[in-house]
Amino acid sequence: MNTTPKPCRNCGGNEQYSQEVSANGGHGPALLPLGFFAFAKFEIRVCGGCGLVDWFVPDRLMPKVKAKFTRER
């Protein structure tokens, strides 16, 4: 993911926190179905000012997303 922090799109704040979390559903559906052994993850970013949460696919998983998903036109 881009390591240059951008201001929050909601409040313009620069206090951002991030962490990678599993995209596998556990007891629910897989949120990023890339295959059984893909170990899909999201990077979530939370604004420390307003609490807005953004979800991103890590750069290393984008080739799998592009191969598995249909590109919109």
Side-chain angles (χ1 to χ4, degrees):
M1 194 173 123
N2 186 353
T3 57
T4 306
K6 294 182 180 178
C8 173
R9 62 186 168 91
N10 187 53
C11 73
N14 290 315
E15 183 183 356
Q16 304 289 330
Y17 299 89
S18 64
Q19 183 172 342
E20 278 196 7
V21 298
S22 175
N24 296 328
H27 296 289
L31 300 175
L32 189 61
L34 296 179
F36 189 68
F37 293 106
F39 304 107
K41 295 202 176 261
F42 284 117
E43 181 170 326
I44 59 170
R45 185 181 301 149
V46 181
C47 175
C50 70
L52 177 74
V53 177
D54 281 323
W55 296 68
F56 299 91
V57 174
D59 289 340
R60 70 181 183 283
L61 294 177
M62 284 306 297
K64 289 182 180 184
V65 168
K66 290 178 180 181
K68 181 115 178 151
F69 286 68
T70 302
R71 181 176 178 179
E72 295 185 2
R73 309 250 174 220

